[in-house]
Amino acid sequence: MKKYFLLFALIAVLFTACNTSVEKQEQKAEKAESGKALTSNVEHPGWSKNANIYEVNIRQFSKEGTIGAFMKQLPRLKNMG
């Protein structure tokens, strides 16, 4: 009797887990669709179309790894365009 109860409990847990993952997948799909609708109506400013955007890892950019050392290089970066 104990074996049947454990088997039934295991099957019930498996079915519950399966149903939850299907629901989560459906929720993710709905969020993705709603997210697309939100981002598709965004108007980007004109300056951003030809802008150069730099991302700098301060620690790796210079030997000192400081903001001051990075700031000394800003005129050189500006001349590069």
Side-chain angles (χ1 to χ4, degrees):
M1 183 74 174
K2 221 178 196 184
K3 290 179 183 178
Y4 290 118
F5 177 74
L6 290 175
L7 181 63
F8 177 75
L10 178 64
I11 291 172
V13 168
L14 289 174
F15 279 119
T16 304
C18 291
N19 288 338
T20 304
S21 64
V22 169
E23 290 172 2
K24 285 182 182 178
Q25 289 175 354
E26 291 174 355
Q27 289 174 352
K28 285 181 183 178
E30 289 174 6
K31 286 181 182 180
E33 288 178 15
S34 65
K36 288 178 186 174
L38 293 175
T39 57
S40 64
N41 296 329
V42 173
E43 291 186 29
H44 298 283
W47 63 265
S48 67
K49 294 180 181 177
N50 295 319
N52 292 321
I53 300 173
Y54 292 93
E55 179 178 345
V56 177
N57 183 337
I58 301 287
R59 286 190 226 167
Q60 302 297 323
F61 187 79
S62 66
K63 291 180 183 179
E64 297 86 6
T66 62
I67 292 175
F70 167 67
M71 289 177 66
K72 291 177 186 176
Q73 299 296 322
L74 286 175
R76 182 178 64 85
L77 292 173
K78 185 178 180 180
N79 289 335
M80 290 172 48

